[in-house]
Amino acid sequence: MAQDFEKLNIQWFPGHMTKAQRMIEEHMKQVDAVCEILDARIPMASRNPDIDRLAGGKPRIVVLNRTDLADPKATARWRAAFQRQGMTVLETDSRSGKGVNGFAGAVRTALHDKIEAYAAKGQVGRPMRVMVLGRRRRPAGRHTRQAVDHGRSGPGAAGHAGHPLAAV
């Protein structure tokens, strides 16, 4: 009986996650930085450990969202821990909008060296591409899907001129 279990090859990684991981790998070459949105109450539990490997040496931005529900002292410790790893940290509460306007500044901080290098070449105002990753939570009570067509979809869609993050 034990031998039967040894022969089993169980695929526990869901297909949609494999597809998403392939898309991330495919588009990673086209971005300047990677932003990971985490729940400020449980940052490590809301992280995908594969992101560190997939991001490689790209500059990183961590958005600690839902700070209104998190312990401020714990959030400060998490902020310091991520900053020690060289990541730019932004604290937000997306429901009230608090901190959301700081995203462009966080991108500029994370990409400071790259922006200066472009400026030295006379390429001022060059668009920066940021891949934004994280678990999206659908608001309670909403059971319909709303499609938003910005001309393209998938990782890196924020690079499209019609997308709100395109102005970064």
Side-chain angles (χ1 to χ4, degrees):
M1 180 99 142
Q3 293 172 343
D4 292 337
F5 286 117
E6 292 174 11
K7 293 178 184 178
L8 285 176
N9 184 11
I10 299 172
Q11 179 61 29
W12 64 270
F13 203 64
H16 70 284
M17 291 175 64
T18 302
K19 180 181 176 185
Q21 187 169 335
R22 265 188 307 224
M23 288 177 67
I24 290 169
E25 289 171 349
E26 178 184 327
H27 290 86
M28 191 60 69
K29 299 175 197 114
Q30 301 170 359
V31 300
D32 298 299
V34 176
C35 173
E36 190 175 7
I37 301 174
L38 306 176
D39 188 322
R41 299 168 296 174
I42 52 168
M44 291 311 285
S46 59
R47 281 193 88 199
N48 180 340
D50 292 335
I51 301 300
D52 291 332
R53 177 184 56 81
L54 294 169
K58 303 270 184 186
R60 300 281 299 278
I61 303 162
V62 171
V63 176
L64 293 172
N65 192 31
R66 302 185 68 128
T67 54
D68 60 317
L69 301 175
D71 175 28
K73 290 180 183 177
T75 302
R77 288 194 302 270
W78 282 114
R79 170 188 273 279
F82 287 122
Q83 287 174 332
R84 280 193 301 273
Q85 295 176 41
M87 300 178 191
T88 301
V89 181
L90 177 64
E91 295 178 23
T92 65
D93 170 21
S94 60
R95 286 193 184 205
S96 71
K98 180 182 172 196
V100 174
N101 291 336
F103 185 77
V107 170
R108 286 186 197 98
T109 299
L111 293 172
H112 181 266
D113 294 341
K114 188 170 241 184
I115 291 169
E116 283 198 356
Y118 285 143
K121 296 176 189 176
Q123 298 176 356
V124 178
R126 181 178 174 150
M128 296 285 119
R129 295 182 180 172
V130 177
M131 183 180 291
V132 179
L133 304 168
R135 186 165 180 261
R136 188 178 149 261
R137 186 173 163 257
R138 189 177 297 178
R142 291 194 55 189
H143 300 288
T144 61
R145 288 178 69 175
Q146 294 179 339
V148 178
D149 183 12
H150 291 298
R152 66 182 216 219
S153 62
H160 179 65
H163 196 281
L165 296 181
V168 173

